[in-house]
Amino acid sequence: MTSASQSLIARSQRVFINTYGRFPVAMVKGSGCRLTDADGRNYLDFVSGIAVCSLGHCHPRVTEAICAQAAQLVHVSNLYHTEPQTVLAELLVAHSFADRVFFCNSGAEANEAAIKLARKHGGADRYEIISLAGSFHGRTLATVAATGQAKFHQGFEPLPAGFAHAPFGDLEALRAMITPATCAILCEPLQGEGGVRPLDKEYLAGIRALCDEHRLLLIFDEVQVGLGRTGSLFAYEQMGVTPDIMTLAKALGNGLPIGAMLTTDGIAASFVPGDHASTFGGNPIGCAAARVVMETMLADGFLAEVRAKGDYLAKGLAGLAAKYPTLAKGARGMGLIQGLVLNDEGIKHGGAMVMKLFERGLLLNFAGNVALRCIPPLVVSREEIDEMLALLDQVFAETV
Ligand SMILES: *Cc1c(COP(=O)(O)O)cnc(C)c1O
């Protein structure tokens, strides 16, 4: 007998362009940190739809805001003003370095907006953007070109010109790559897809100094680490470095597609009407959901709890690394983005271990072919963290 999941998967395989290597399951329902599949099996979710559902699945206040807005006004385009958009922009401006916001629908689009703004601001003959090896910035052609991983480039050449990649962690190499054509340096304060790899503070301070010295814009891609994930509203707040432009997306709408590009008055002035646009950007429903996300994260104690639970998770992962030194090297991350870094032997089994965890009802992913990445909803409980660690322990014990 075929299960409900299997029959949906068979239908999907006939109609989709084959771009995703999906787990063999159809999800039907979510609540908090749990998902239920079409056959009624439950999963503990340490992926959160890739760091998106930070308030957990179907957070009641988000659902309520979505439903209320859907009954009021769904879409009018940016030919007109709408209150949900303005309220959200005010919240982002009030709680960040930025003075102004541009809304779009995804992380790649937020980075596209940042790239265009940096080029426009740079002026004639200043168009080149330097990003870092191991980075991930999206799947559009420009953001693929900015992404510092060859596997995302292959088959899509020629890529748009004006992008260069500096070796990770090497400030002198980065300095040597700056030319009169350079207009910006783009980086993630902590590389997510690249394997949960934080940039250290001195390195980031050095990058900031290079930007100041050469009149370059510093763009932080906080698409994955922004909005509470690291234990502060934005990761840059803990890094001692303020960017000139910041991009956001994943967690902003707790599952609704919305992205944002934030910057200062002075830089924003380089864009004039007609320079950039998005039909759906700042859609009222996405903005209504994002307002609840912002207000919830800014409420007393929320971010402190993320930091405390992040420490708890990091200690648990470090304990597992100590227990299984043949598989894992240690934990790294900030707040509730933590990676258990595998060694060469562990990496061989990384994909298989993720599949075994899936079979036991734990969703986790293997980032950058180097780290088991834990990005649970920020509302995860210590009991759920313990449950995750126990499952990981079982699978490690079977693998060694
Ligand atoms: C996911 C991600 C993106 C791309 O976001 P999409 O919404 O998939 O376009 C860009 N940058 C970083 C750091 C990301 O993690």
Side-chain angles (χ1 to χ4, degrees), residues 50 105-109 111 136-140 188 190 192-193 221-225 247 249-250 373:
I50 319 185
N105 312 286
S106 68
E109 278 179 83
N111 286 334
F136 181 81
H137 298 297
R139 301 295 203 132
T140 61
E188 301 156 84
L190 178 158
E193 302 304 309
D221 177 346
E222 293 217 19
V223 166
Q224 184 158 158
V225 296
T247 55
K250 287 192 165 90
R373 176 174 50 174

Side-chain angles (χ1 to χ4, degrees), residues 191-215:
Q191 293 186 343
E193 302 304 309
V196 192
R197 186 158 60 154
L199 277 63
D200 52 58
K201 285 186 182 173
E202 301 71 56
Y203 183 37
L204 277 172
I207 294 176
R208 175 75 265 180
L210 279 181
C211 287
D212 294 342
E213 190 183 323
H214 296 271
R215 290 192 315 114

Side-chain angles (χ1 to χ4, degrees), residues 97 208 216-219 242-246 262-264 267:
F97 72 92
R208 175 75 265 180
L216 312 176
L217 298 182
L218 177 58
I219 307 170
T242 303
D244 300 302
I245 299 177
M246 174 170 69
L262 284 70
T263 192
T264 61
I267 297 162

Side-chain angles (χ1 to χ4, degrees), residues 32-88:
C33 299
R34 308 276 170 177
L35 285 170
T36 306
D37 73 14
D39 303 305
R41 282 197 70 204
N42 291 315
Y43 300 82
L44 177 61
D45 186 6
F46 269 61
V47 176
S48 308
I50 319 185
V52 167
C53 300
S54 281
L55 301 188
H57 295 283
C58 300
H59 185 282
R61 282 196 54 214
V62 176
T63 301
E64 192 189 338
I66 291 171
C67 294
Q69 187 58 47
Q72 176 85 22
L73 183 70
V74 172
H75 173 83
V76 293
S77 87
N78 288 297
L79 293 172
Y80 313 101
H81 294 265
T82 65
E83 194 184 7
Q85 219 185 66
T86 305
V87 168
L88 178 61

Side-chain angles (χ1 to χ4, degrees), residues 98-109:
D99 306 309
R100 291 181 180 271
V101 181
F102 175 86
F103 285 126
C104 52
N105 312 286
S106 68
E109 278 179 83

